[in-house]
Amino acid sequence: MVVYKYSFVFVFAAVIHLSPSAGLAPVLKLNNGKEIPGFGIGTWLGTNSNELKGDEVQKSVEWAIDAGYRHIDTAAIYSTEDQVGRAIKKKIAEGVVKREDLFVTTKLWNTNHKKEAVLPALRKSLKNLDLDYVNLYLIHWPIALHENASISQTDYVETWQAMTDVLNQGLTKSIGVSNFNIQQLERLKSEGGVTPSVLQVEINLNLQQSALLDYCKAQGIVVVAYTPFGNLFNRQPSAPAPRADDQRLVAIAQKYKKTVPQIVLRYLVELGVIPIPKSLHKDRVEENIQIYDFSLTPDEIQLLKSFDNGYRTLSPLFWAHSPYFPFESKN
Ligand SMILES: NC(=O)c1ccc[n+]([C@@H]2O[C@H](COP(=O)([O-])OP(=O)(O)OC[C@H]3O[C@@H](n4cnc5c(N)ncnc54)[C@H](OP(=O)(O)O)[C@@H]3O)[C@@H](O)[C@H]2O)c1
Ligand SMILES: *[C@@H]1O[C@H](CO)[C@@H](O)[C@H](O)[C@H]1NC(C)=O
């Protein structure tokens, strides 16, 4: 009875934001009982070759925390972990949040898939972030690479077993995978032992992945949606519609006094996934999370669904000869 009452108060507080530390987005429950904020900030600048020297990602994460984001997505390969760490440190020092209010995700890069490489890679990420633990550690891709970037045959099931070891050491609170397909998730379940708590994949209007979402729902795997805007801002000029000036989308946005990107993010939240849009502009960072004061009608949802055509914004075909390439080998 006491437990029941306590959890009721907690859910109530999270929904109406009695405490600023609860953030703006409702939380979702993971299959290990932990919670994940339902909206996050992305930190990939689209480049992974050079060390990033600026502080644009740090600023973006600081604006995000001020705007009520409590979930931050980074990865070793982004070279932004240090900036993310500085933003967190600053916001904790200012008293805006406590460490336990934040959900920080980072990812194991493809060159560290051998079982003995996983723990050192996570320790290096923690050092970059200047944190004692992350909330979520993901295998970035099912594909393994050698240091010289050629394809390695290391099986992701080996990698997954090492992920469960770092979980047991408390260096991450949850583990999951990114860019895995249904067959690969099934293999983890049958051969790896522990079911991932999270799958992070590309989801946007062009790539809605309904079969994968149904599978994850049935398995209790929470889905995080990367590249949530897809080609809305003409990232790939040859990609199919829609763009942000699509008259049908503009009409919906006007009806709710919202913007087209907000309509798209709201739709993703209604699909049950967690969008992690990236922006280096303060006004956009603030705008993107302001989607919890309206909901879409069935007709509007049907229109947004109609843009699904299986088009992938990210399909690294240069890895197509890996035995573990997860996607169609042609776009
Ligand atoms: N697991 C994986 O393999 C994987 C792959 C890709 C991405 N990710 C994660 O997902 C995050 C998001 O994906 P993404 O960065 O590829 O793409 P995205 O978030 O879908 O789009 C980012 C682009 O949208 C623009 N933008 C953001 N908000 C806007 C708004 N309100 N109005 C107009 N333009 C807006 C940004 O411009 P400005 O910055 O100039 O504002 C940027 O050019 C990444 O940062 C990363 O953390 C993971
Ligand atoms: C890359 O490294 C691997 C493992 O050390 C080696 O087997 C392979 O021949 C190398 N490939 C090239 C192109 O150097």
Side-chain angles (χ1 to χ4, degrees), residues 41-46 73-75 78 107 109 138-141 178-179 200-204 224-231 233 235 244 259 261-262 265 276-285 287-288 313-314:
I41 183 89
T43 67
W44 179 44
L45 296 190
D73 183 77
T74 186
Y78 301 167
K107 312 187 191 88
W109 187 239
L138 300 176
I139 301 183
H140 206 145
W141 289 87
S178 180
N179 297 302
Q200 183 178 128
V201 285
E202 178 180 343
I203 310 231
N204 48 54
V224 171
Y226 79 61
T227 312
F229 294 131
N231 289 284
F233 308 119
R235 181 164 168 162
T259 65
Q262 286 173 318
L265 293 169
I276 49 167
K278 163 262 175 190
S279 175
L280 299 183
H281 292 90
K282 185 168 188 276
D283 53 340
R284 293 174 179 174
V285 169
E287 168 189 332
N288 289 343
T313 305
L314 250 89

Side-chain angles (χ1 to χ4, degrees), residues 5-16:
K5 257 168 78 186
Y6 182 80
S7 65
F8 176 76
V9 169
F10 184 83
V11 168
F12 188 67
V15 171
I16 67 163

Side-chain angles (χ1 to χ4, degrees), residues 35-296:
E35 289 174 335
I36 181 169
F39 199 92
I41 183 89
T43 67
W44 179 44
L45 296 190
T47 162
N48 52 36
S49 46
N50 303 314
E51 285 297 313
L52 299 169
K53 291 279 185 274
D55 65 352
E56 64 263 68
V57 171
Q58 179 182 340
K59 286 210 203 94
S60 161
V61 173
E62 288 175 22
W63 297 326
I65 292 171
D66 285 337
Y69 292 61
R70 295 292 176 264
H71 173 168
I72 305 160
D73 183 77
T74 186
I77 196 67
Y78 301 167
S79 298
T80 57
E81 290 173 319
D82 55 343
Q83 294 195 53
V84 168
R86 287 196 287 275
I88 291 171
K89 183 153 280 193
K90 185 157 173 226
K91 288 297 146 190
I92 290 175
E94 288 174 3
V96 179
V97 282
K98 301 198 222 26
R99 173 65 186 94
E100 56 268 33
D101 302 325
L102 295 174
F103 190 99
V104 182
T105 301
T106 195
K107 312 187 191 88
L108 176 79
W109 187 239
N110 307 356
T111 50
N112 293 315
H113 275 213
K114 283 203 166 300
K115 59 179 182 299
E116 62 276 13
V118 174
L119 177 62
L122 176 52
R123 285 199 195 284
K124 190 168 177 210
S125 284
L126 290 172
K127 191 161 182 251
N128 290 339
L129 284 158
D130 201 6
L131 294 176
D132 302 328
Y133 67 91
V134 287
N135 299 80
L136 178 64
Y137 199 41
L138 300 176
I139 301 183
H140 206 145
W141 289 87
I143 296 159
L145 299 175
H146 293 297
E147 277 303 332
N148 61 19
S150 69
I151 298 289
S152 151
Q153 303 300 312
T154 303
D155 186 337
Y156 56 78
V157 171
E158 169 181 333
T159 316
W160 186 246
Q161 277 153 358
M163 294 287 283
T164 65
D165 292 342
V166 296
L167 176 68
N168 291 334
Q169 293 188 39
L171 297 176
T172 181
K173 303 291 179 196
S174 301
I175 53 174
V177 295
S178 180
N179 297 302
F180 278 50
N181 64 31
I182 292 177
Q183 291 70 34
Q184 293 172 329
L185 291 167
E186 276 289 290
R187 247 196 98 209
L188 286 189
K189 194 173 70 160
S190 60
E191 297 178 47
V194 179
T195 303
S197 294
V198 168
L199 172 69
Q200 183 178 128
V201 285
E202 178 180 343
I203 310 231
N204 48 54
L205 291 183
N206 285 160
L207 188 69
Q208 300 192 22
Q209 310 237 49
S210 57
L212 187 56
L213 295 198
D214 289 347
Y215 173 83
C216 287
K217 196 170 180 189
Q219 299 292 324
I221 301 172
V222 168
V223 177
V224 171
Y226 79 61
T227 312
F229 294 131
N231 289 284
L232 202 64
F233 308 119
N234 211 31
R235 181 164 168 162
Q236 291 166 353
S238 61
R243 299 294 180 267
D245 62 357
D246 186 291
Q247 282 314 301
R248 294 163 291 180
L249 295 180
V250 170
I252 298 173
Q254 282 171 345
K255 173 182 160 190
Y256 294 108
K257 298 192 166 53
K258 293 284 172 185
T259 65
V260 169
Q262 286 173 318
I263 298 299
V264 169
L265 293 169
R266 177 71 208 183
Y267 176 64
L268 296 181
V269 163
E270 291 190 19
L271 283 182
V273 302
I274 302 180
I276 49 167
K278 163 262 175 190
S279 175
L280 299 183
H281 292 90
K282 185 168 188 276
D283 53 340
R284 293 174 179 174
V285 169
E286 291 168 352
E287 168 189 332
N288 289 343
I289 198 173
Q290 291 296 330
I291 57 168
Y292 294 98
D293 53 359
F294 74 108
S295 55
L296 299 165

